[in-house]
């Protein structure tokens, strides 16, 4: 794949990690927004890395967005398998969203084909009110095989997915066609972009643990953003923004967790000078957008974004205090202006980061008074019941 033309187009820029935190979101809505492209500001790449120490904001090239407003709310998938394939396809739909750690206690609904003719299987999801994520699987002798993992769909999609065998067992190539198929082809190409990229680039760190100016994470993120721009004319505004949020969340979380490991290593060696130099090097190289160009409801729907925001706050607390105090992390999460996203982050914090026996129940009891979302409240209450806080 050709190297990204715009070398500064990666993570948009808000507050360097060594400065004070700012609030990021302004509205809280449950339904995805249809954005009028004439009124919308140009989308800026959501992960920006500067090749120099100076800050650079670069607008991503943006064509006219295709806004889809389907009259029908049904979603139709036609799955076509190669002749002679013994396996049968089925779908798993995640009714209340997903994230990498399965925060949602949602119910995964298995959808069987409505009908089939030979190797062609028809699935119909009726009355869909909002976009959701789904996976496509094939039945297997010992275990089911995931062919497409956690793609998102929108009401009104009518998609044909042709599944081709490859020379590798249980690995398949997919072709997508039909109404609104651009986002599917984009998501599918994500899976191959990094694996098929053969350009040799610099490692993440220099020998003295500074961030290298031309590293693999920078290049891989550019590859994914370039794919979004490639397929943008075929997407709705919602899909365009959701894919940006997912890439920002996934790659940003990867960068931040790597940084935390390096910072803890410096602290273990009692090298405060090295700790501060590494923190500054990161802030000089990577600065993250506050997501202001992505609608709040889309940030909430993203399977990646909430955990990225937690890691971002954790990293800044580590830099500020040379340790991670979850009491401080919790207080900063409470300052998130998007209340629905805040609630999701709080639930994730207690489910995956904070041991309640260490908290003595004080933070989670406070969280019960703060959190408004019913599903997130249920998660907190179940944690209390399970761990007997």
């Amino acid at each position: 794949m050709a190297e990204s033309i715009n070398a500064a187009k990666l993570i948009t820029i808000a507050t360097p990690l060594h400065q004070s935190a700012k609030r990021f979101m302004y509205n809280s809505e449950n339904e995805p927004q249809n954005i009028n492209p004439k009124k919308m500001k140009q989308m800026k790449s959501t992960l920006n890395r500067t090749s120099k120490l100076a800050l650079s904001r670069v607008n991503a090239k943006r064509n006219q967005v295709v806004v889809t407003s389907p009259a029908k709310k049904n979603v139709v998938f036609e799955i076509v398998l190669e002749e002679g394939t013994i396996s049968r396809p089925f779908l798993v739909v995640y009714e209340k969203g997903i994230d990498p750690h399965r925060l949602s206690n949602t119910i995964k609904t298995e959808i069987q084909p409505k009908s089939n003719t030979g190797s062609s299987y028809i699935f119909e999801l009726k009355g869909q009110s909002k976009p959701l994520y789904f996976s496509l699987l094939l039945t297997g002798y010992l275990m089911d095989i995931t062919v497409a993992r956690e793609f998102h769909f929108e009401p009104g999609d009518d998609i044909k997915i042709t599944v081709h065998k490859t020379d590798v067992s249980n690995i398949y190539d997919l072709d997508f066609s039909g109404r609104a198929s651009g986002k599917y082809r984009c998501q599918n190409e994500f899976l191959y972009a990094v694996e098929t990229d053969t350009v040799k680039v610099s490692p993440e760190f220099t020998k003295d643990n500074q961030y290298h100016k031309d590293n693999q994470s920078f290049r891989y993120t550019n590859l994914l953003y370039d794919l979004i721009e490639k397929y943008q004319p075929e997407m709705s505004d919602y899909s365009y923004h959701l894919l940006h949020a997912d890439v920002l969340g996934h790659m940003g979380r990867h960068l931040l967790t790597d940084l935390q490991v390096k910072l803890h290593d410096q602290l273990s060696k009692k090298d405060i000078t090295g700790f501060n130099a590494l923190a500054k090097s990161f802030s000089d190289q990577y600065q993250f957008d506050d997501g202001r160009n992505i609608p709040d409801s889309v940030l909430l729907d993203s399977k990646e974004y909430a955990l990225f925001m937690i890691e971002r706050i954790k990293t800044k607390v580590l830099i500020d205090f040379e340790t991670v105090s979850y009491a401080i992390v919790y207080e900063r999460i409470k300052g998130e202006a998007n209340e629905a996203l805040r609630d999701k982050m709080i639930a994730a914090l207690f489910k995956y980061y904070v041991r309640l026996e260490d908290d003595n129940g004080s933070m989670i009891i406070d969280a019960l008074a703060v959190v408004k979302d019913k599903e997130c409240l249920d998660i907190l209450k179940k944690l209390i019941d399970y761990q007997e806080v």
Side-chain angles (χ1 to χ4, degrees):
M1 186 167 296
E3 187 170 359
S4 168
I5 295 174
N6 185 354
K9 182 165 65 82
L10 231 176
I11 312 178
T12 7
I13 294 153
T15 316
L17 287 170
H18 57 276
Q19 294 181 5
S20 59
K22 295 181 180 179
R23 295 188 178 183
F24 310 122
M25 315 306 164
Y26 296 95
N27 301 313
S28 176
E29 299 181 19
N30 294 323
E31 294 300 320
Q33 300 173 6
N34 267 339
I35 302 136
N36 184 340
K38 294 182 179 179
K39 296 182 179 180
M40 186 177 64
K41 295 181 179 179
Q42 281 194 325
M43 179 71 184
K44 296 179 176 64
S45 302
T46 41
L47 184 57
N48 226 357
R49 197 186 75 66
T50 58
S51 57
K52 298 181 180 180
L53 298 184
L55 190 65
S56 174
R57 295 184 69 103
V58 180
N59 287 342
K61 181 180 179 182
R62 215 169 171 288
N63 300 314
Q64 185 76 5
V65 172
V66 176
V67 180
T68 57
S69 299
K72 296 182 179 179
K73 298 292 187 180
N74 295 351
V75 175
V76 177
F77 293 105
E78 179 185 5
I79 313 299
V80 180
L81 307 181
E82 286 190 5
E83 293 291 340
T85 302
I86 299 175
S87 300
R88 289 174 58 88
F90 66 97
L91 305 180
V92 173
V93 176
Y94 306 92
E95 296 288 344
K96 295 183 183 296
I98 55 175
D99 64 42
H101 293 303
R102 304 294 188 273
L103 166 63
S104 177
N105 58 353
T106 218
I107 316 111
K108 295 189 296 186
T109 303
E110 287 194 10
I111 308 295
Q112 299 298 328
K114 176 183 176 182
S115 62
N116 78 286
T117 304
S119 60
S120 175
Y121 297 80
I122 303 298
F123 296 80
E124 185 173 10
L125 311 179
K126 293 186 176 180
Q128 297 300 304
S129 60
K130 65 173 291 183
L132 294 172
Y133 287 93
F134 80 102
S135 293
L136 167 63
L137 296 91
L138 298 179
T139 57
Y141 177 66
L142 295 176
M143 60 184 298
D144 299 324
I145 302 159
T146 303
V147 178
R149 185 183 301 277
E150 299 170 1
F151 283 25
H152 81 271
F153 65 83
E154 296 172 272
D157 285 0
D158 191 341
I159 305 297
K160 179 179 180 180
I161 307 176
T162 305
V163 182
H164 304 281
K165 295 179 181 177
T166 68
D167 294 334
V168 181
S169 178
N170 296 336
I171 300 297
Y172 298 84
D173 284 334
L174 305 178
D175 289 330
F176 297 86
S177 58
R179 188 181 189 281
S181 61
K183 63 176 173 285
Y184 297 89
R185 296 198 301 278
C186 183
Q187 292 175 87
N188 192 49
E189 285 194 35
F190 276 8
L191 305 177
Y192 299 97
V194 172
E195 294 178 12
T196 58
D197 179 39
T198 59
V199 174
K200 293 182 179 180
V201 295
S202 302
E204 193 80 16
F205 299 95
T206 63
K207 290 182 179 180
D208 58 352
N209 285 336
Q210 299 299 294
Y211 278 83
H212 204 289
K213 66 177 182 178
D214 295 310
N215 64 62
Q216 197 76 281
S217 295
F218 175 37
R219 173 168 175 76
Y220 287 169
T221 310
N222 264 336
L223 287 175
L224 300 185
Y225 280 133
D226 285 347
L227 281 173
I228 297 174
E229 297 304 318
K230 171 184 173 182
Y231 286 103
Q232 179 270 323
E234 302 177 51
M235 294 184 197
S236 67
D237 285 343
Y238 177 88
S239 291
Y240 179 77
H241 287 297
L242 182 65
L243 290 175
H244 270 278
D246 281 354
V247 171
L248 168 62
H250 177 74
M251 294 305 298
R253 196 159 49 89
H254 164 75
L255 291 166
L256 291 168
T257 52
D258 274 4
L259 172 62
Q260 290 172 39
V261 170
K262 288 287 184 180
L263 289 172
H264 281 296
D265 183 55
Q266 299 295 322
L267 290 173
S268 69
K269 294 185 293 187
K270 302 186 184 304
D271 184 359
I272 301 304
T273 300
F275 176 93
N276 291 331
L278 182 60
K280 184 178 185 305
S281 176
F282 185 89
S283 289
D284 287 341
Q285 297 293 339
Y286 294 98
Q287 298 182 33
F288 296 96
D289 188 13
D290 54 13
R292 202 168 295 167
N293 292 294
I294 302 176
D296 285 354
S297 57
V298 179
L299 295 174
L300 178 64
D301 287 347
S302 170
K303 63 183 180 180
E304 305 280 357
Y305 189 79
L307 290 175
F308 155 69
M309 288 291 288
I310 293 175
E311 293 297 341
R312 185 182 183 195
I313 291 171
K314 266 186 64 186
T315 304
K316 189 174 187 310
V317 169
L318 175 58
I319 291 173
D320 288 347
F321 299 97
E322 298 176 9
T323 187
V324 176
S325 164
Y326 282 109
I328 298 174
V329 172
Y330 171 65
E331 288 300 321
R332 292 187 180 184
I333 291 174
K334 284 171 61 177
E336 168 59 52
N338 179 341
E339 289 188 358
L341 180 63
R342 176 205 64 192
D343 289 356
K344 184 176 180 179
M345 291 168 63
I346 290 174
L349 181 73
F350 286 101
K351 190 166 185 180
Y352 302 115
Y353 295 88
V354 178
R355 295 192 308 173
L356 297 191
E357 58 267 31
D358 296 337
D359 172 42
N360 295 321
S362 58
M363 282 193 296
I364 199 166
I365 296 303
D366 181 76
L368 290 174
V370 171
V371 170
K372 307 301 180 187
D373 179 80
K374 182 181 182 303
E375 182 182 352
C376 294
L377 272 174
D378 288 344
I379 291 172
L380 296 177
K381 291 174 182 177
K382 286 179 181 178
L383 288 172
I384 292 176
D385 292 341
Y386 179 73
Q387 300 194 37
E388 297 182 352
V389 174

